[in-house]
Amino acid sequence: MTRSEALDTPDDGVLKTPDRLRRQASRLLSQLTTRSDRLITEGLAQADARKWHYAVLASLQDFGPGSQAALSGRTGIYRSDMVSVLNELAERNFVERAPDPDDRRRNVITISPRGRRHLRLLDKVLDDLHDELLAPLSPAERQDFLQLLTRLLDHHTSQPS
C-alpha cells in the first residue's frame, strides 16, 4: 500500500476513496495543491514571511525596481492587495519606495540590502520545504515533474480565456 493509499484507508484497512477518483488528474492536482499550500504557508510563517513577500522580493531581485502596477503584473498579486504587501515589506525595511522621476504620482519600489538578505533566507527555507514536498521523487523525477507542470501551465495560460 502506498502512503497516499494509507491516508485514504480508515482503521478497517479498506480504501475509502474510489479508484476512479484516485485516477483523476484534476483531483490529484487539487489535493497536492492544498497540501503544498499548507506546507509552504506554515514553513514561511516560521520564517516570519508570507508567499507574497517572497514573490515581491524575488521579482525585485530578478527584474529590478518597479512600480506597484509592474509588481502586480510580475507576481500575480492584485493591485488592491499589493499596497498592504508593500507596506509590510517597507515596515521591515525589505523594500524602499521613492517617487518615480518620470511620474511623481507613483512610486518606484526597490529591494533593500536587508531585503536581499531576507530573500536569501527565504530561498533556503523554500528549498527545504520543496525537498519535503517532493521527498518521494528522485532528483531526475523532480526535474521531469517540474518540466511537465511547467508545460501544462504554459499551455493553459497561453490559451485565450
Side-chain angles (χ1 to χ4, degrees):
M1 180 180 316
T2 66
R3 186 172 193 281
S4 60
E5 286 173 332
L7 293 174
D8 284 343
T9 306
D11 293 337
D12 61 7
V14 178
L15 282 178
K16 65 181 181 184
T17 304
D19 190 49
R20 70 179 61 208
L21 291 178
R22 294 183 56 75
R23 290 190 313 253
Q24 291 181 350
S26 59
R27 183 173 187 275
L28 294 170
L29 286 169
S30 178
Q31 288 186 327
L32 184 59
T33 297
T34 299
R35 286 168 172 77
S36 173
D37 271 351
R38 186 177 309 124
L39 176 72
I40 299 302
T41 298
E42 291 172 1
L44 286 174
Q46 290 179 1
D48 197 23
R50 296 187 305 128
K51 290 184 284 188
W52 295 132
H53 295 166
Y54 181 79
V56 169
L57 293 174
S59 174
L60 290 170
Q61 178 67 29
D62 291 355
F63 296 113
S67 67
Q68 180 177 313
L71 286 170
S72 177
R74 292 178 193 170
T75 61
I77 300 171
Y78 291 115
R79 286 183 184 192
S80 57
D81 295 331
M82 182 61 75
V83 173
S84 63
V85 173
L86 291 175
N87 286 343
E88 291 170 8
L89 292 170
E91 285 171 12
R92 298 172 66 189
N93 297 313
F94 293 151
V95 299
E96 298 166 354
R97 291 178 171 140
D100 185 334
D102 297 328
D103 184 349
R104 304 299 263 176
R105 294 170 295 170
R106 86 179 154 193
N107 287 318
V108 173
I109 315 301
T110 307
I111 190 170
S112 69
R114 184 174 178 179
R116 281 186 190 65
R117 287 190 301 276
H118 190 63
L119 179 60
R120 284 192 298 273
L121 168 71
L122 296 182
D123 280 334
K124 173 70 173 115
V125 167
L126 284 170
D127 286 347
D128 292 345
L129 292 168
H130 288 125
D131 282 345
E132 182 178 339
L133 178 68
L134 302 174
L137 304 178
S138 71
E141 289 171 324
R142 291 175 188 200
Q143 274 303 113
D144 291 345
F145 181 65
L146 292 174
Q147 287 174 346
L148 291 169
L149 286 175
T150 300
R151 193 162 93 202
L152 283 168
L153 185 60
D154 288 349
H155 170 79
H156 290 286
T157 55
S158 69
Q159 301 295 315
S161 299

